[in-house]
Amino acid sequence: MVLDEDGDTSFENFDESIVDGKALRDYSEINDDVLAEIETDVRKKGCKIIANKGATLYGVAMMLTQIVSAVLDNRSICLPLSAPINVNMASSMIFT
């Protein structure tokens, strides 16, 4: 689970992350090195998309393409999820 916005201010909450109904840390393939690699990749993803395409909106389009393809091909896939939570703070929305 990535908290805050994408980029340098985000942080990963691996202890609360669920993948296909199972806690992320319960997978035998997951260790601290893998988690550090995931964190680095997530932090760099927005910059990489901007460098290649000019804006991060293409990341949203890429995910939508994967979702539509999975539905049309009747495939079961796991994808990242971001959901707004309305809170009474300076920022009107937080995404988790």
Side-chain angles (χ1 to χ4, degrees), residues 6 11 14-15 18 29 32 47 49 54 60-62 66 69 95:
D6 60 354
F11 63 96
F14 294 121
D15 293 329
I18 305 295
E29 304 88 354
D32 289 339
C47 290
I49 293 171
V60 175
M62 180 183 72
Q66 289 183 19
S69 175
F95 289 84

Side-chain angles (χ1 to χ4, degrees), residues 2 15 20 37 44 64:
V2 179
D15 293 329
D20 200 21
E37 184 178 332
K44 292 181 178 180
L64 184 57

Side-chain angles (χ1 to χ4, degrees), residues 5 83-87 89-95:
E5 291 203 35
I85 299 174
N86 290 321
V87 295
M89 296 175 60
S91 174
S92 62
M93 297 182 97
I94 295 177
F95 289 84

